[in-house]
């Protein structure tokens, strides 16, 4: 199984990193927008708006997402997968483990929750447009992590899946 994962990671990484060099700056912007701290601030913003509208279910859902982002850090600590050996990783300010991707996890939790709230509380066309933007944002953040060499593809796949499952679990638990 380990060999299959390594082959998958190697092939997908090689494919993504062959993309044009001019994408480097846009990928940096995308990856920085997906910082877990930024996702936490977005989630706390959702909490504030929901609190002002006395929507405690949404507050609980967003707070569960914030807690899950913290739990992801604990998971990274225990799994302790080494990051790819790249220039991007060697220049990282915070040195954390690779699996699962915190950017992919945090963006999946936050943007899935935001997409759900958009479909629940907004009217057309925003009830359709905002979830599409959220989905594209989460995918772009995950791809940027592989493109820049910060993560292996399986790191971002796992982070995205865990984040989306966490968001949907919170939504199912706390929604009326």
């Amino acid at each position: 199984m380990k060999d299959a994962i390594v082959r998958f990671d190697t092939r997908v990484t090689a494919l993504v990193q062959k993309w044009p060099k001019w994408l480097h700056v846009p990928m940096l912007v995308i990856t920085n927008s997906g910082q877990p701290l930024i996702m936490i601030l977005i989630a706390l913003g959702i909490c504030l708006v929901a609190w002002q509208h006395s929507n405690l279910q949404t507050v609980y859902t967003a707070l569960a997402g914030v807690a899950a982002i913290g739990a992801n850090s604990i998971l990274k600590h225990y799994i302790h997968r080494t990051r790819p050996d790249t220039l991007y990783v060697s220049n990282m300010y915070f040195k954390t483990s690779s699996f699962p991707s915190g950017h992919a996890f945090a963006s999946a939790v936050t943007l899935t929750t935001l997409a759900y709230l958009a479909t629940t509380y907004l009217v057309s066309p925003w009830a359709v447009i905002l979830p599409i933007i959220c989905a594209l944002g989460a995918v772009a953040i995950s791809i940027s992590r592989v493109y820049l060499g910060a993560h292996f593809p399986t790191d971002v796949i796992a982070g995205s899946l865990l984040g989306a499952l966490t968001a949907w679990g919170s939504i199912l638990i706390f929604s009326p």
Side-chain angles (χ1 to χ4, degrees), residues 3 8 21 53 62 76 124 137 149:
D3 291 338
F8 175 82
K21 297 290 182 210
H53 289 91
K76 286 170 87 79
S124 287

Side-chain angles (χ1 to χ4, degrees), residues 17 31 82-84 86 88-89 92 96-98 103 144-152 155-156:
Q17 290 181 346
T31 212
T82 304
R83 287 185 183 267
T86 64
Y88 183 86
V89 170
M92 288 173 58
T96 61
S97 296
S98 192
H103 281 69
S144 75
R145 303 304 287 162
V146 176
Y147 178 88
L148 294 169
H151 284 285
F152 299 106
D155 299 337
V156 297

Side-chain angles (χ1 to χ4, degrees), residues 24-175:
H24 187 79
V25 171
M27 289 293 188
L28 284 171
V29 171
I30 290 167
T31 212
N32 286 328
S33 71
Q35 293 279 354
L37 179 59
I38 290 175
M39 293 295 127
I40 289 170
L41 292 174
I42 291 170
L44 292 175
I46 292 168
C47 286
L48 180 62
V49 170
W51 183 267
Q52 290 173 338
H53 289 91
S54 300
N55 186 334
L56 292 181
Q57 291 85 7
T58 301
V59 172
Y60 299 148
T61 300
L63 287 176
V66 171
I69 292 169
N72 183 64
S73 297
I74 294 168
L75 189 59
K76 286 170 87 79
H77 176 74
Y78 283 104
I79 293 175
H80 199 59
R81 182 180 192 189
T82 304
R83 287 185 183 267
D85 185 18
T86 64
L87 181 61
Y88 183 86
V89 170
S90 66
N91 290 326
M92 288 173 58
Y93 185 72
F94 293 108
K95 307 288 186 191
T96 61
S97 296
S98 192
F99 187 92
S101 167
H103 281 69
F105 186 94
S107 65
V109 167
T110 305
L111 298 176
T112 299
T113 302
L114 187 57
Y116 166 77
L117 294 172
T119 60
T120 304
Y121 297 106
L122 297 180
V123 295
S124 287
W126 294 109
V128 175
I129 293 171
L130 191 56
I132 291 170
I133 292 170
C134 288
L136 292 173
V139 169
I141 290 165
S142 292
I143 291 171
S144 75
R145 303 304 287 162
V146 176
Y147 178 88
L148 294 169
H151 284 285
F152 299 106
T154 50
D155 299 337
V156 297
I157 291 168
S160 296
L161 290 174
L162 288 170
L165 287 172
T166 300
W168 283 112
S170 298
I171 289 165
L172 290 173
I173 291 168
F174 296 115
S175 290

